Amino acid sequence: ARAAEPPPPLPPSPTRDKEAQRREKALALAERLRQEEDTPGNEVLNSEKEARRGAAENRRLERERELARKLREEAEATDRARAEEQSGRAANAQTLALIDEYRARISAKVRQRIVMPPELRGNPEAIFEVSLLAGGDVVEVRLRKSSRIATLDAAVERAIRAAQPLPVPDDPELFHVHFRNFLLNFRPRE
């Protein structure tokens, strides 16, 4: 009997051939890229890449410097504004203190000249509007709110006129704003 012959080899499958071809192409491409990296032309590409990276880094650093400069300027402006505000508050406080001082001096000078009516009971309040000239001379006195004791109201009005010239600040603006026409409150027991 005859021995069986081995079956003939199968023809290569088309999918295996394609995979093998792809692998060979990929290996060939990788080899070519590796060789290109070693070529002198690639050094030019690398130096161009480095130059672009350096330029980008310089732009980034410049933006950071500009941002830092703007932040510094804003901080300085804020500090200046804060200092001006504090200075303004201090000046305003000084002005208010000066106004209070002159009002107290006017009240004290008027109070020295009041002859209190004998029938006075309690601590009624009278409010007068006083108009002055720059030297402190009284132009007009008007009763704005009565104490409900006519003799007290009349005594306070006489004392205001008798106390002139009233003490006023030398600063013309301060005088015109706060003392040209002002209200004088009077309570006998204050």
Side-chain angles (χ1 to χ4, degrees), residues 81-109:
R82 194 174 292 134
E84 287 173 8
E85 182 182 330
Q86 288 174 347
S87 174
R89 274 194 241 144
N92 193 30
Q94 275 184 322
T95 301
L96 291 175
L98 191 59
I99 292 167
D100 289 345
E101 176 189 334
Y102 275 99
R103 287 187 181 273
R105 289 171 67 187
I106 290 170
S107 291
K109 192 168 183 183

Side-chain angles (χ1 to χ4, degrees), residues 39-111:
T39 63
N42 203 25
E43 289 175 12
V44 172
L45 290 177
N46 285 340
S47 66
E48 286 176 5
K49 285 180 185 177
E50 284 300 315
R52 282 194 301 268
R53 279 190 205 124
E57 180 66 15
N58 286 342
R59 286 191 302 273
R60 185 187 64 77
L61 290 173
E62 186 58 34
R63 282 193 308 268
E64 286 178 2
R65 280 189 217 106
E66 182 64 19
L67 180 61
R69 183 187 62 78
K70 285 181 181 179
L71 289 173
R72 236 183 353 267
E73 287 175 359
E74 287 177 10
E76 289 169 359
T78 301
D79 290 345
R80 276 192 306 275
R82 194 174 292 134
E84 287 173 8
E85 182 182 330
Q86 288 174 347
S87 174
R89 274 194 241 144
N92 193 30
Q94 275 184 322
T95 301
L96 291 175
L98 191 59
I99 292 167
D100 289 345
E101 176 189 334
Y102 275 99
R103 287 187 181 273
R105 289 171 67 187
I106 290 170
S107 291
K109 192 168 183 183
V110 169
R111 189 174 293 284

Side-chain angles (χ1 to χ4, degrees), residues 34 70 78 121 132 137 164 179:
R34 187 184 59 73
K70 285 181 181 179
T78 301
R121 289 194 172 77
L132 300 176
D137 292 324
Q164 63 181 317
F179 293 97

